[in-house]
Amino acid sequence: MVVAKLVYEFSEGDRDQKDLLGGKGANLAEMTRLGLPVPPGFTITTEACRFFLERGHQPDQLRVQVTAALRHLEDRVGRRLGDSVDPLLVSVRSGAKYSMPGMMETVLNVGLNDRSVVGLVEESGDERFAWDSYRRLIQMFGKTVLGVEGEAFGAALDAAKERKGVRTDVELDAGDLKTLVEEFKSIVADHTGREFPQDPREQLDLATLSVFESWNTDRARLYRRRERIPHDLGTAVNVCTMVFGNLGSTSGTGVCFTRDPATGQPGVYGDYLVNAQGEDVVSGIRNTLSLDDFAEVDPASYRELRQIMRRLETHYRDLCDIEFTVERGKLWMLQTRVGKRTAAAAFRIATQLVDEQLITLDEALERVAGAQLAQLMFPQFDIGAERTLLTRGMAASPGAAVGKVVFDSATAVAWATRGEPVVLVRKETNPEDLEGMIAATGILTSRGGKTSHAAVVARGMGKTAVCGAESLEVDSVDRAARAGDVTVHEGDLLSIDGTTGEVFLGELPVVPSPVVLYLEEGLEKAVASLQEGGNEGTADVVRAVDRLLTHADRVRRLRVRANADNAADADRARRMGAEGIGLCRTEHMFLGERRTLIERVILADSSQERDTALQALVPAQTEDFVDLLTSMDGLPTTIRLLDPPLHEFLPDRSELMVKVAVAEERGQVDRDDVRLLAAVERLHESNPMLGLRGVRLGLTVPGLFALQVRAIAQAAARRVKAGGDPRPEIMVPLVGSVMELHLIRDEADAILAEVSAAEGVDLHIPLGTMIELPRAALTAFRIAEAAEFFSFGTNDLTQTTWGFSRDDVEAAFFAAYLDKGVFTVSPFESLDVDGVGRLLDIATREGRRTRPDLKTGVCGEHGGDPESIHFFHTTGLDYVSCSPFRVPIARLEAGRAVLGHPDTHTHTDDDIEKG
């Protein structure tokens, strides 16, 4: 019978076995393979952990294989685990494939007991060290393995220091620690009903079991959900010979990095403590020394460490994070891994390694991510400033914003017009708040989540937003908001942090993003400005961003467009690198003053009156499109015909009912209000998002889509006559049947031909559809007969596939779904590949079977989501479209997607012309 190998000595593995050995075990094995001074040991595999998690007991062969590995270790070092003479002691540490710092268990000094501590005293010649090591074992073992509350040990330790009249642990002598060991053993017995285990092998087995069990603690599961690490990976267990940095002045312990992980600055960085164990470095109980100080204290060990650091960075070809211990002048390497770093350091280090010829530009691009670029683009508060927290909500749209509180859109616009920064505070926002949202520096709502209207629009505009601050009571009538016993009035200053979800009273200083300056105004100007301010390090970061974005543009296949509804947004998108507009939402052109024109269309009593009202809209629409096509000259511009239900352009039903009822009671009836209420009642729907909207409007309100098609055609003709190169595309929303599209297409083709003849200009304006219904995706082979392009509206496609109402479900149960593992992330944030993604794939393949030159893209929120972009690349879409602010992120991720799938190819000039 073949028995699975569940235990690997460090000499048997390598860094490519992280799935089996975990990250820590694989890197210990790699350092051993390189011949570096690693304390010998062995790793129990993740397979053993998964077996335990699935069946509730360890594999029968595990104890046998651990025994064999332990005996081999004992023979190699010439000591026995827990022996009374020169005992072998080991550490037992977790080590999953992905780093989960502090989430799982570690037990040091395993093997110490009442007998072996005496042997350790004799061997080390340091009684205090031996009893301190035993004290640490009981405390750590009691807490992590036996479940004793850590406060019990902490209280006993504090009492010992108080008796002695000292402040720190290191001031306790051997006698004090010996007494403390007995107290700790009594605490274990009192809390668990059993004595502290004296059998070294029982200690090892229980510690191993506790590491396995720690995989499913609440904190570990929460961390994995947040970091989107699968729950079924399990952890390895590393059993390593103990080496001690607390054996006197010739011993110590430290942590170092081969470059600065905060800034990316070249050089060595780290901390060292003489006569200490690893936990002392991170606990902060003593001031650490720099590596320069270490060089003076122990020059020989320092020189060896520097050689190893250089060797590891060369071997891993990346920033390395290293833990080490010096035991009586002997250097030991305890761990290495590719180091975590800030977003700024990630870009800077990647390009440094290219210049040092350790990696290629392709590899450098793979080492940065869109999420890191986003961090560099958002403004931030000065972390050193004093602050007073008012409330917390969801971090809906990152950034830092300071402004005077206003409670409605009109006030936001008015105050912003006179130069006052404002924060728009609402219970929740709706489309009518758009002008105020544009005017505001930041948005704060007491309701809604990350996919609420406020959040989606704010992210699209690059506005800072905090949503769902439930402790905040917003009273728009009294113009005040209350959180606890604090009341904020209109005009008071607030500072909102869209990265953390925190809201502060008063004004915090904001640090602008130099990366946005570079994107808006160019590399040369941004670097010059930074150098003038003495910020050469930040200038290096900006140069690195430019270099890697430029390389991403060279290699990517996906084109990147922007969602933009006006010329100002289009201009900004183009500066950000957009290669066209993937979604222009024309409904935003009918807000504000033009709303009355739409009301006239809705309230028309005759077709003649309706046609007159529609004709009045054509000039304004034409001017909108002329401006848009001018900004996007030479680039594709996809214009979506009117999509929302008409009731969104009418007053609120409840408010209007109250107004009419009060007027009737006073005998002051306004006939226009009565007619308006009748229209609102007629158009009222229980579920308007699935009602009369999109293509259904175009088929049931004669002339509505025709006016928009005519305005697009006339705008294009004007641009051609002016020497421009307009490339409009007409997109019909919410199509579910090819017959719907045929009917709209027939009307559109006739109008285009008419305008073309009248203006003497040859117009070819592609007409396509937005795929946002499952039926449209499943019948794409039919719809492609009438559509020249598909644009996937993944926001609504997600709603209709899941049966979710985006405005309702997040607050209602998404938190529970995330907690229970139904989601690892909201399907509105990152594409549901298995469900919505499959529909997208089917529609793309079957649509191209009917029309091989069918152009396909995405214009939902997912178009700017890094993970979703990789799926869109592999599915073969032609482009993604996202908010102007996210265009650089999409450009970067589209390049990285190619490198993650080397069988794909970059665009040719013909592909670029295709759009």
Side-chain angles (χ1 to χ4, degrees), residues 253-261 267-273 281-282 289-292 294 301-302 304-310 312-313 318-325 331-340:
T253 190
V255 177
C256 60
F257 298 89
T258 55
R259 297 170 196 249
D260 188 338
V268 294
Y269 296 81
D271 297 309
Y272 182 74
L273 267 180
V281 176
V282 297
L289 304 176
S290 69
L291 290 189
D292 288 338
F294 176 42
S301 296
Y302 174 77
E304 185 181 4
L305 177 65
R306 285 297 304 269
Q307 291 172 352
I308 290 173
M309 291 172 71
R310 179 179 170 85
L312 285 173
E313 184 175 85
D318 207 345
L319 162 73
C320 288
D321 172 358
I322 298 164
E323 296 178 17
F324 64 95
T325 283
L331 177 67
W332 293 99
M333 308 306 294
L334 302 184
Q335 182 173 337
T336 191
R337 58 192 167 202
V338 172
K340 294 184 181 296

Side-chain angles (χ1 to χ4, degrees), residues 611-855:
D611 291 343
T612 301
L614 287 169
Q615 286 304 312
L617 284 166
V618 173
Q621 277 270 272
T622 302
E623 292 302 322
D624 289 333
F625 296 141
V626 167
D627 291 344
L628 196 65
L629 294 174
T630 301
S631 295
M632 278 291 155
D633 195 62
L635 295 175
T637 305
T638 304
I639 300 168
R640 183 179 72 184
L641 303 182
L642 201 64
D643 182 42
L646 287 180
H647 78 86
E648 289 197 6
F649 299 101
L650 297 177
D652 179 77
R653 177 171 173 252
S654 299
E655 292 179 2
L656 196 56
M657 289 174 68
V658 171
K659 182 179 180 182
V660 171
V662 170
E664 287 178 344
E665 185 177 330
R666 295 175 178 173
Q668 300 172 344
V669 178
D670 185 322
R671 291 185 59 195
D672 288 339
D673 283 344
V674 173
R675 290 179 64 210
L676 201 54
L677 179 58
V680 170
E681 293 284 11
R682 174 168 50 85
L683 293 170
H684 175 71
E685 297 174 298
S686 298
N687 191 348
M689 297 311 292
L690 294 179
L692 182 58
R693 53 170 288 217
V695 69
R696 301 158 193 171
L697 278 175
L699 293 175
T700 58
V701 181
L704 184 60
F705 277 12
L707 97 85
Q708 294 193 290
V709 173
R710 185 174 300 278
I712 293 168
Q714 289 178 350
R718 280 174 55 180
R719 287 296 303 143
V720 170
K721 288 181 175 182
D725 180 18
R727 301 188 185 184
E729 301 173 341
I730 297 172
M731 181 158 67
V732 183
L734 210 72
V735 166
S737 163
V738 68
M739 185 53 65
E740 292 172 317
L741 194 57
H742 274 306
L743 292 169
I744 297 297
R745 169 149 221 139
D746 289 345
E747 182 180 28
D749 286 346
I751 294 169
L752 293 175
E754 177 192 332
V755 173
S756 182
E759 298 289 341
V761 173
D762 183 23
L763 295 176
H764 173 68
I765 300 179
L767 186 142
T769 187
M770 205 167 182
I771 302 291
E772 47 196 327
L773 296 173
R775 190 180 193 280
L778 295 172
T779 61
F781 64 98
R782 292 259 178 90
I783 293 176
E785 296 170 4
E788 294 169 79
F789 64 87
F790 288 168
S791 181
F792 292 94
T794 51
N795 296 345
D796 277 357
L797 188 56
T798 297
Q799 288 197 95
T800 54
T801 300
W802 280 89
F804 287 157
S805 169
R806 184 174 62 181
D807 294 333
D808 300 320
V809 295
E810 185 169 46
F813 60 82
F814 267 31
Y817 267 40
L818 288 165
D819 185 61
K820 295 177 184 299
V822 178
F823 302 146
T824 56
V825 65
S826 164
F828 292 112
E829 290 182 43
S830 193
L831 191 78
D832 162 30
V833 170
D834 293 336
V836 178
R838 190 176 179 200
L839 288 174
L840 190 147
D841 180 58
I842 290 169
T844 300
R845 285 187 290 102
E846 297 194 358
R848 284 178 175 159
R849 196 171 299 154
T850 299
R851 187 185 290 267
D853 63 346
L854 181 75
K855 187 162 56 180

Side-chain angles (χ1 to χ4, degrees), residues 67-110:
T67 298
L70 179 60
R71 290 195 174 190
H72 191 268
L73 175 61
E74 291 172 332
D75 292 343
R76 181 174 178 182
V77 301
R79 289 177 281 157
R80 299 281 182 87
L81 182 69
D83 203 356
S84 59
V85 178
D86 190 12
L88 167 67
L89 305 179
V90 297
S91 62
V92 179
R93 287 186 166 97
S94 62
K97 177 181 179 179
Y98 301 106
S99 178
M100 296 172 55
M103 293 302 107
M104 293 181 293
E105 305 301 359
T106 293
V107 184
L108 304 180
N109 305 327
V110 169

Side-chain angles (χ1 to χ4, degrees), residues 229-267:
I229 297 172
H231 288 306
D232 59 356
L233 295 179
T235 180
V237 180
N238 299 288
V239 179
C240 185
T241 302
M242 284 293 302
V243 290
F244 299 96
N246 54 340
L247 276 171
S249 61
T250 60
S251 303
T253 190
V255 177
C256 60
F257 298 89
T258 55
R259 297 170 196 249
D260 188 338
T263 67
Q265 179 74 22

Side-chain angles (χ1 to χ4, degrees), residues 17 83 123 139 163 204 348 359 375 384 401 439 459 497 535 626 630 632 636 668 678 728 749 773 794 831 879 895 901:
Q17 293 180 286
D83 203 356
E123 176 60 27
Q139 183 173 359
R163 287 195 302 269
L204 176 60
R348 197 174 180 192
I359 63 175
Q375 290 176 31
R459 283 197 297 271
D497 191 330
N535 298 314
V626 167
T630 301
M632 278 291 155
Q668 300 172 344
D749 286 346
L773 296 173
T794 51
L831 191 78
Y879 68 88
H901 306 277

